[in-house]
Amino acid sequence: MRILTTLVAAAAMLAGGLSGAFAQTIKIGSKNFTEQFVVAELYGAALEAAGFKVERKINLGGTLVAHEALKSGAIDLYPEYTGTGLNAVMKAQGVTETDPEKVRGMVKAFYEKEFNLTWLKPSGINNGYAIVVRPETAKEFNLKTLSDLGKASSKLRLGAGTEFVDRRDGIKGLKEVYGAEFAEFKQFAALRLRYDALNQKQIEVANGFSTDWQIAADKFVALDDDKSLFPPYFLAPVVRPEIAANAKIVDILEKVGAALDNPTMQELNRQVEVDKKEPRTVAAAFLKAKGLVN
């Protein structure tokens, strides 16, 4: 009887190992914009399909709010961008490294040393800054690169977000690297307002992100960062150590990431913002279509 009891206990421990130490709920967070909502829902639905309990803490706020929530244990993971980790968290403003793996290695090592957090494998999404103009503006000023923009900038109005003002990979860098000094700067906190202003010809130049659905939908021209001002912004889960130690959870999260790239993310963002679908609905349909859930 004692042997049987031992065998049963061992079997229970082995079964429990499939979900690691996670009898508790996995708390998934996100920052405060559409792409984050969708990716967090992708993580959540994939984990739930594998039998894990998930609590969603979507729309926490900006980078530092989500980062502090992860550090404190209020959440166990959230999607983040390597370039954001480099610039907003590490504050490595003088770093000009643009190799994606090297940047990921830098932020991974920093997070592990300073916060006891880590980064999993990146997805195929590189959602870096995109400097965009209307097609007619590109034609009128012969704009193909940010070097071209620097030469014409004194005749153009720029619209950008709040974080873009003080970061080196923003207005400061555009001036330092490309000599850009714009005729006027207009600040728009909401991304959609920048695109509205661009369409309504209130500005000629806007900063957006590479996975914005508006770029493809409105045929905006994204200018080439020919001197590599912007670091790579590959999306990956940033996780607490107990998540990283669970092979099944890691495998699920990384399979979701492997199914994503910029065109895919543009379309998922469009479904939420244009078609007005719920992020959870969009995520569930995508996972099913890709065979990641039944």
Side-chain angles (χ1 to χ4, degrees):
M1 188 67 178
R2 186 173 296 171
I3 293 172
L4 179 60
T5 302
T6 302
L7 289 174
V8 170
M13 286 177 66
L14 180 61
L18 293 177
S19 59
F22 270 89
Q24 74 261 39
T25 301
I26 302 172
K27 301 182 291 293
I28 298 176
S30 87
K31 296 196 278 186
N32 56 352
F33 53 94
T34 298
E35 180 164 298
Q36 286 272 312
F37 305 157
V38 174
V39 175
E41 291 288 0
L42 288 169
Y43 293 162
L47 288 167
E48 285 174 332
F52 292 97
K53 294 180 180 179
V54 171
E55 180 182 349
R56 292 162 173 81
K57 296 193 174 185
I58 310 297
N59 198 12
L60 290 172
T63 297
L64 298 183
V65 176
H67 177 64
E68 288 299 323
L70 188 63
K71 282 170 57 181
S72 71
I75 58 174
D76 297 307
L77 66 104
Y78 80 98
E80 186 55 282
Y81 307 89
T82 54
T84 303
L86 183 72
N87 284 298
V89 178
M90 286 180 64
K91 300 188 185 303
Q93 297 293 322
V95 174
T96 58
E97 182 59 65
T98 58
D99 179 271
E101 274 305 305
K102 289 181 179 178
V103 170
R104 177 178 174 269
M106 289 168 64
V107 296
K108 186 174 187 291
F110 183 86
Y111 273 61
E112 288 175 354
K113 179 182 177 182
E114 298 295 328
F115 311 123
N116 194 29
L117 304 172
T118 195
W119 292 65
L120 303 185
K121 287 182 183 178
S123 69
I125 295 170
N126 181 14
N127 193 12
Y129 278 134
I131 305 300
V132 299
V133 298
R134 294 186 302 275
E136 62 269 26
T137 303
K139 184 176 181 180
E140 179 181 354
F141 294 96
N142 193 27
L143 303 179
K144 295 179 181 178
T145 67
L146 292 183
S147 289
D148 297 332
L149 179 66
K151 296 171 186 175
S153 59
S154 63
K155 302 173 185 176
L156 304 172
R157 296 167 294 176
L158 170 68
T162 53
E163 289 187 351
F164 202 68
V165 178
D166 296 319
R167 290 165 59 150
R168 183 186 179 273
D169 60 336
I171 290 177
K172 289 182 178 180
L174 286 173
K175 182 177 180 180
E176 177 186 328
V177 176
Y178 293 108
E181 296 192 63
F182 294 92
E184 186 180 352
F185 170 65
K186 296 186 177 183
Q187 189 167 294
F188 300 91
L191 184 63
R192 63 178 177 79
L193 296 178
R194 287 173 240 162
Y195 283 110
D196 288 346
L198 200 57
N199 272 319
Q200 294 165 14
K201 301 185 179 180
Q202 297 171 359
I203 56 175
E204 288 75 44
V205 186
N207 92 296
F209 300 93
S210 300
T211 58
D212 293 343
W213 63 267
Q214 293 94 333
I215 296 175
D218 294 321
K219 297 182 171 58
F220 290 131
V221 177
L223 302 178
D224 181 43
D225 180 16
D226 53 309
K227 295 183 180 178
S228 300
L229 168 62
F230 303 132
Y233 279 78
F234 278 90
L235 180 74
V238 184
V239 305
R240 292 185 58 79
E242 54 268 32
I243 296 288
N246 189 303
K248 186 176 182 183
I249 296 175
V250 170
D251 182 61
I252 291 166
L253 295 173
E254 291 183 348
K255 280 181 178 176
V256 170
L260 298 171
D261 57 22
N262 281 17
T264 298
M265 201 65 237
Q266 284 183 348
E267 172 58 19
L268 298 181
N269 289 337
R270 188 200 64 78
Q271 289 179 30
V272 174
E273 295 189 7
V274 179
D275 297 345
K276 305 302 181 186
K277 295 180 180 179
E278 288 296 322
R280 190 173 299 192
T281 303
V282 170
F286 175 79
L287 292 172
K288 189 170 184 179
K290 290 293 182 179
L292 293 172
V293 301
N294 295 323

